[in-house]
């Protein structure tokens, strides 16, 4: 059903995008949320939950819940510094996590190409650059 509300359209699109990526990643047993966290940890190296939340643009509660799945799978390891308390847990990608990420990347690339191919018909030039620039720009819109 059509609506001219940008927010509703983006939410619907986000749900469909999640489904596309989840379907593509199914053979390696990951969801896009998990894959994204593994990639964030690879970029960050060792990071606190707050740093991961900032990198992933998610709240700390969501990060904690999603990281628990990755920790239980053995893909992420967590440590607490002796002089700090549990609020300052640091997470890092384990060797198994790196392997899982590498095995998932070809499936993620399939989803990327599928999205690019579909969006390309509305854009002039490479879809990947224009789409990413538009989405990054939306993330920077100031709140009033």
């Amino acid at each position: 059903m059509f609506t001219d509300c940008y927010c509703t359209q983006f939410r619907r699109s986000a749900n469909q995008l999640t489904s596309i990526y989840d379907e593509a990643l199914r053979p390696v047993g990951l969801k896009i949320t998990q894959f994204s966290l593994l990639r964030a940890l690879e970029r960050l190296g060792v990071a606190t939950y707050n740093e991961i939340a900032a990198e992933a643009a998610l709240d700390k509660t969501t990060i904690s819940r999603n990281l628990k799945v990755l920790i239980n799978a053995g893909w992420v390891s967590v440590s607490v510094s002796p002089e700090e308390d549990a609020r300052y847990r640091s997470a890092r990608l384990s060797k198994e996590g790196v392997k899982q990420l590498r095995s998932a990347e070809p499936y993620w690339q399939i989803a990327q190409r599928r999205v690019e191919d579909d969006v390309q018909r509305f854009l002039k030039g490479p879809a990947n650059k224009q789409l990413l620039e538009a989405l990054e720009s939306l993330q920077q819109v100031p709140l009033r």
Side-chain angles (χ1 to χ4, degrees), residues 61-111:
T61 305
T62 302
I63 292 296
S64 295
R65 185 174 53 250
N66 289 328
L67 278 177
K68 185 175 182 180
V69 174
L70 301 178
I71 293 164
N72 290 340
W75 301 328
V76 171
S77 59
V78 177
S79 60
V80 178
S81 175
E83 55 276 348
E84 297 174 348
D85 62 30
R87 291 177 295 171
Y88 301 99
R89 291 177 287 185
S90 293
R92 76 169 29 127
L93 210 53
S94 68
K95 288 181 183 178
E96 295 79 17
V98 172
K99 288 179 191 175
Q100 181 68 5
L101 186 55
R102 293 290 96 75
S103 70
E105 285 172 341
Y107 297 96
W108 173 80
Q109 289 171 351
I110 290 168

Side-chain angles (χ1 to χ4, degrees), residues 7-144:
C7 187
T8 300
Q9 291 290 12
F10 270 98
R11 285 175 178 244
R12 288 176 181 170
S13 296
N15 287 336
Q16 184 63 19
L17 282 169
T18 298
S19 296
I20 289 168
Y21 282 89
D22 284 350
E23 179 183 317
L25 291 167
R26 187 173 291 125
V28 290
L30 285 176
K31 294 193 173 291
I32 188 60
T33 51
Q34 297 163 336
F35 178 82
S36 296
L37 279 177
L38 292 175
R39 286 188 75 195
L41 278 170
E42 183 175 50
R43 283 190 303 274
L44 293 169
V46 178
T48 65
Y49 281 32
N50 286 335
E51 292 167 333
I52 299 165
E55 172 71 16
L58 295 170
D59 64 81
K60 190 177 172 201
T61 305
T62 302
I63 292 296
S64 295
R65 185 174 53 250
N66 289 328
L67 278 177
K68 185 175 182 180
V69 174
L70 301 178
I71 293 164
N72 290 340
W75 301 328
V76 171
S77 59
V78 177
S79 60
V80 178
S81 175
E83 55 276 348
E84 297 174 348
D85 62 30
R87 291 177 295 171
Y88 301 99
R89 291 177 287 185
S90 293
R92 76 169 29 127
L93 210 53
S94 68
K95 288 181 183 178
E96 295 79 17
V98 172
K99 288 179 191 175
Q100 181 68 5
L101 186 55
R102 293 290 96 75
S103 70
E105 285 172 341
Y107 297 96
W108 173 80
Q109 289 171 351
I110 290 168
Q112 285 281 102
R113 282 191 300 276
R114 184 171 175 202
V115 171
E116 287 172 6
D117 290 348
D118 196 61
V119 171
Q120 180 61 53
R121 59 193 166 126
F122 300 102
L123 302 173
K124 295 176 184 165
N128 61 344
K129 186 175 181 187
Q130 289 184 11
L131 183 56
L132 289 173
E133 285 176 359
L135 293 172
E136 292 234 349
S137 174
L138 281 173
Q139 294 169 33
Q140 304 304 317
V141 172
L143 301 176
R144 294 181 197 176

